Amino acid sequence: DAGVIQSPRHEVTEMGQEVTLRCKPISGHDYLFWYRQTMMRGLELLIYFNNNVPIDDSGMPEDRFSAKMPNASFSTLKIQPSEPRDSAVYFCASRLAGKNTGELFFGEGSRLTVL
Amino acid sequence: RKEVEQDPGPFNVPEGATVAFNCTYSNSASQSFFWYRQDCRKEPKLLMSVYSSGNEDGRFTAQLNRASQYISLLIRDSKLSDSATYLCVVTVSGSARQLTFGSGTQLTVLP
């Protein structure tokens, strides 16, 4: 079975450029999460969706970050304009509603470097 | 104070050793507890849940102490393949079961 699929796996860009990260959750999963991981701050929740609706975006650092989920099989995280401090690994994860197992299924991550 | 705190390590232990990690959480309303494992440059994956009565999964034992608000993970007879970062994870009631991750404890098992 296909897991959570993220693209691109690696992105190197220059400060000021727009970055778009993409995620395809596991089919049938109701929740989708975007996390950011850095050495300094660990794994931070940015935003999550339930049935394509954003529920909590309090973790989004600032207005430069935006996320959308136009349908159940696709989500994007956009950074515009990007800054060097945005360099991190961005993970997308999904899970089923009603399953109290605490199991999130993560994608392999998108490693972003902003020069 | 961080919601979930872990000793970052690194823990370097020889093969066959027993190693234990602790994790403390600050929110007494925390409901569910888990350990995740993250290999170098890979995504986190669920290792095991932590139940109030304690639970085992092969060489791994997880325990919860609600009074002191800490969780532990014990690995017996450690293998080279156990080398990874172990993340303590907590969910808080009323948060639609959002998971809060600790920063992780790095383990290296040496031959």
Side-chain angles (χ1 to χ4, degrees), chain B residues 47-48 55-62 73-76 82:
Chain B
L47 176 67
M48 61 193 300
N55 48 296
E56 259 187 41
D57 183 1
R59 297 180 294 106
F60 297 82
T61 301
L73 177 68
L74 183 78
I75 305 175
R76 292 183 301 278
D82 295 334

Side-chain angles (χ1 to χ4, degrees), chain A residues 21 33-37 43-49 56-62 65 67 77 79 89-91, chain B residues 98:
Chain A
L21 307 179
F33 302 79
W34 281 101
Y35 283 88
R36 176 172 70 175
Q37 188 173 41
L43 203 59
E44 302 174 281
L45 177 64
L46 300 177
I47 184 172
Y48 77 95
F49 297 83
D56 185 351
D57 65 353
S58 59
M60 295 285 260
E62 48 199 90
F65 285 69
L77 178 68
I79 308 171
V89 181
Y90 290 81
F91 286 105
Chain B
Q98 286 185 48

Side-chain angles (χ1 to χ4, degrees), chain B residues 20-21 32 44 50 55 57 76 79 93 97 100:
Chain B
F21 310 134
S32 304
V50 186
N55 48 296
D57 183 1
R76 292 183 301 278
K79 312 290 185 191
S93 63
R97 304 198 186 285
T100 301

